[in-house]
Amino acid sequence: MATTQPQPTKYQYSKPSLKGKMVLNTEQAKFFAGNRFDSLMTALFIIDVTSRKLAKNLKTFDHKAVVDAVSKKIERMEVAVRDESERMDTLLKSLGIKELAGYSSPLTREFEITSPEIKRMSSLLQAFDHLIIQVDTAWLHEKIDSSEAEEFRANKSNQMARLIRSLVGLGQSARAKAYASKVAELQEDIEKAEAKVSAEKEEREAAGHIEPEGNVDALDSLPEEAVA
């Protein structure tokens, strides 16, 4: 009786990752934390893995230029949020307000950090959440009127939407380049990442997670020319 020979195991490249976790309080930040964050993470992963592997296979491909372009887009929003948050902090302190507003239904989002840009964007979303908390606090103390507070929230939400939409667009372009390159390993990495995100979305839905809609889907309603 012939014995079945074990099949050789295909070599699997070992990829580093970190466990990420966000607790977001405001509706404006929660808006970006579900499927929109999935799309963002997938895009950033695809940009990272595609640019690195294309640079290895195509000598004319500039990996650093791609990384720098993504970094600058994120940095602009980081600076804007930080500056506004420092301004709000100064205002609240000058008014003797020490305690920030609390929220009835925070959202906890766990995720996998597979690139430095994903970590930066999760930190940015948390900073954005904190900024909106500061504005809500000033509003509740009647230091900012309702129309001013609402305009501020809408403007900052649209800025965040533009950034995310722009990064997702870069990810879509990188995906197209990856498939055009015919590099099988690259396509396999992308398919695995997309399948993982799809499975996690199904798990959230099965657990009863409802995607926050807000009044307007800023990602979908922004005109193309508004994306920077």
Side-chain angles (χ1 to χ4, degrees):
M1 181 175 171
T3 57
T4 303
Q5 294 295 323
Q7 294 296 316
T9 303
K10 183 181 177 182
Y11 181 81
Q12 297 289 327
Y13 184 79
S14 186
K15 304 177 182 69
S17 66
L18 295 170
K19 292 295 183 183
K21 182 177 179 179
M22 296 186 294
V23 178
L24 302 173
N25 297 276
T26 67
E27 287 303 304
Q28 289 73 24
K30 287 165 63 178
F31 179 84
F32 298 109
N35 296 338
R36 297 168 185 88
F37 192 64
D38 288 341
S39 297
L40 174 64
M41 286 195 299
T42 304
L44 291 174
F45 172 79
I46 290 173
I47 291 167
D48 177 63
V49 71
T50 299
S51 61
R52 282 190 289 105
K53 291 189 176 180
L54 285 184
K56 188 183 297 183
N57 288 275
L58 300 171
K59 299 302 181 183
T60 57
F61 191 87
D62 191 342
H63 170 255
K64 186 176 184 302
V66 175
V67 172
D68 287 347
V70 170
S71 181
K72 286 176 182 176
K73 285 178 181 290
I74 298 174
E75 185 179 13
R76 282 196 291 269
M77 190 65 185
E78 286 173 331
V79 171
V81 168
R82 185 185 65 232
D83 289 350
E84 291 285 2
S85 187
E86 289 176 354
R87 184 177 69 82
M88 287 303 306
D89 187 52
T90 299
L91 173 65
L92 294 174
K93 285 180 178 178
S94 71
L95 297 169
I97 299 172
K98 297 180 180 179
E99 185 176 352
L100 295 175
Y103 292 78
S104 58
S105 302
L107 181 149
T108 299
R109 174 69 200 263
E110 296 183 353
F111 55 97
E112 190 174 6
I113 298 170
T114 54
S115 77
E117 291 75 24
I118 292 174
K119 188 173 189 303
R120 280 182 73 181
M121 282 303 302
S122 67
S123 297
L124 176 55
L125 266 180
Q126 291 173 94
F128 170 72
D129 186 51
H130 181 72
L131 173 59
I132 301 300
I133 291 173
Q134 291 174 307
V135 172
D136 286 349
T137 300
W139 170 68
L140 289 170
H141 280 279
E142 300 181 283
K143 305 304 180 184
I144 299 177
D145 65 35
S146 294
S147 60
E148 184 182 358
E150 185 57 35
E151 183 180 1
F152 183 93
R153 296 184 197 104
N155 286 340
K156 278 290 170 283
S157 294
N158 283 339
Q159 288 175 25
M160 182 64 75
R162 289 188 185 98
L163 170 62
I164 293 175
R165 185 174 174 183
S166 178
L167 293 173
V168 169
L170 287 177
Q172 291 169 343
S173 297
R175 188 183 191 280
K177 288 178 182 177
Y179 278 81
S181 73
K182 309 293 186 181
V183 179
E185 181 187 359
L186 186 49
Q187 295 176 19
E188 185 179 332
D189 285 342
I190 292 172
E191 287 167 4
K192 285 181 179 178
E194 291 175 339
K196 186 173 186 298
V197 165
S198 180
E200 289 173 351
K201 177 185 176 183
E202 290 177 3
E203 287 177 8
R204 289 200 306 274
E205 290 175 348
H209 172 79
I210 298 174
E211 190 75 9
E213 295 180 357
N215 295 326
V216 177
D217 189 332
L219 279 177
D220 295 334
S221 64
L222 284 173
E224 290 292 339
E225 60 269 19
V227 181

